[in-house]
Amino acid sequence: MIIGSNIYFYDHLPSTNSEAARLLKESSLNEGAVICAGHQSAGRGQKDNKWESEENKNLLISVILFPEIIGPEKQFLISETISLGICDFILRHTPVCSIKWPNDIYVNNDKIAGVLIENSIMADTIEYSIAGIGLNINQDKFLSDAPNPVSLRMVTGVTYDIQTCLNQLISDLDIRYKQLLSEDWSKIRSDYTSKLYRLGTWNEYTDQDGQFSGRIESVADEGRLNISRRNGLIQNYGFKEVAFIP
Ligand code: BT5
């Protein structure tokens, strides 16, 4: 086992990703170390976004990776690998799970988990990658302005043992990470594509030119999203260049 080789538990932290970065600077951490918190006072999403989580109800973890064989130009593979591991975990408990590009995890039209990957890039290599995961397990009420949160308990009606869920998630992430290390990248890419939220169906989006009707076709190697238009043209988008209209 690589992921979960060491697990560090904290009752409270500002953010597991921030703590992981601090520990990486101060001490040596093994690859696969997992920083885990019962509560975060400053859980982070992309840019200035925040992550809401009621104390001891959910999974809040950061995984330390040293993915030496992945060059910076292939870093989206790390996102794909982590998203797939989370999906594998959710699919143990409920039959539907998809990945809203680039790395929100959905059950039906609701967000059950978010991923914040922070890579440190030195010259031509990824020095380390911190994969932060917030996964809603037993929370029933969300108090932030999150538009569509959902938890596993809200989906299935079951109350889960958080420690058991952590062990299952770690095991599922470990399997996917080994797939990445064995350079089974076409499998990772095809599994990721096949799980894309809204793949192959017509939906509404907005880009810098306004609203349009589009169909998600695929994700390019570097992680850009290919969306076709009614006129047959395919356009590709980077992160934040296109928004999904509910
Ligand atoms: C994410 O960002 O979805 C990545 C969240 C990663 C959180 C984990 S927790 C452990 C680790 N340590 C950290 O400090 N962070 C990571 P983004 O795509 O920017 O989405 C954030 C948005 O999701 C917010 O602005 C809300 O709209 C919504 N949101 C917040 N909390 C949510 C929740 N619990 N469930 C569903 N949606 C939520």
Side-chain angles (χ1 to χ4, degrees):
M1 154 177 277
I2 301 171
I3 295 183
S5 50
N6 295 88
I7 306 181
Y8 301 86
F9 290 100
Y10 297 79
D11 290 337
H12 298 275
L13 278 178
S15 148
T16 58
N17 267 37
S18 304
E19 180 66 10
R22 196 185 69 75
L23 288 172
L24 276 165
K25 286 207 181 74
E26 285 196 350
S27 59
S28 62
L29 282 177
N30 291 341
E31 178 164 55
V34 175
I35 315 297
C36 181
H39 176 257
Q40 294 182 136
S41 53
R44 298 189 282 115
Q46 318 287 340
K47 303 244 167 78
D48 293 331
N49 292 346
K50 303 205 173 359
W51 188 255
E52 170 185 3
S53 183
E54 197 179 332
E55 191 167 343
N56 298 329
K57 294 245 168 136
N58 306 306
L59 286 174
L60 302 166
I61 71 169
S62 296
V63 183
I64 312 289
L65 302 171
F66 303 120
E68 282 164 19
I69 58 161
I70 305 295
E73 74 289 351
K74 294 201 180 66
Q75 59 185 286
F76 194 66
L77 274 168
I78 302 171
S79 267
E80 293 176 312
T81 301
I82 296 296
S83 298
L84 284 170
I86 300 170
C87 274
D88 293 342
F89 163 78
I90 289 167
L91 290 169
R92 287 174 182 250
H93 301 283
T94 188
V96 283
C97 183
S98 60
I99 302 168
K100 179 177 174 240
W101 177 87
N103 48 20
D104 283 348
I105 312 301
Y106 269 40
V107 171
N108 300 315
N109 291 307
D110 296 323
K111 178 167 171 175
I112 193 164
V115 178
L116 177 65
I117 297 198
E118 296 182 302
N119 293 326
S120 167
I121 294 174
M122 295 266 280
D124 281 346
T125 54
I126 298 177
E127 187 195 14
Y128 63 77
S129 179
I130 299 173
I133 300 168
L135 173 49
N136 303 324
I137 303 286
N138 286 329
Q139 187 161 339
D140 289 320
K141 289 204 182 82
F142 291 82
L143 305 177
S144 68
D145 59 0
N148 57 345
V150 75
S151 68
L152 204 50
R153 186 180 130 86
M154 286 161 71
V155 173
T156 64
V158 174
T159 303
Y160 295 87
D161 177 65
I162 297 291
Q163 182 63 47
T164 305
C165 289
L166 176 65
N167 294 341
Q168 291 173 341
L169 175 64
I170 283 174
S171 162
D172 292 336
L173 290 169
D174 190 55
I175 291 167
R176 288 293 183 176
Y177 190 58
K178 285 176 180 152
Q179 206 171 29
L180 180 74
L181 296 185
S182 70
E183 303 192 27
D184 202 355
W185 298 339
S186 57
K187 170 82 173 141
I188 290 175
R189 289 200 171 110
S190 62
D191 283 1
Y192 177 88
T193 303
S194 72
K195 290 202 162 58
L196 279 178
Y197 175 69
R198 291 187 174 178
L199 179 71
T201 58
W202 291 100
N203 291 278
E204 294 300 300
Y205 299 88
T206 46
D207 66 7
Q208 58 177 8
D209 299 323
Q211 183 165 344
F212 66 95
S213 187
R215 190 176 66 192
I216 293 178
E217 303 292 348
S218 60
V219 173
D221 287 357
E222 73 284 5
R224 293 177 74 84
L225 184 66
N226 294 320
I227 303 184
S228 65
R229 303 285 184 113
R230 296 269 185 200
N231 63 9
L233 288 178
I234 297 184
Q235 195 154 355
N236 68 79
Y237 292 95
F239 185 50
K240 295 282 179 203
E241 291 174 359
V242 64
F244 291 51
I245 297 184

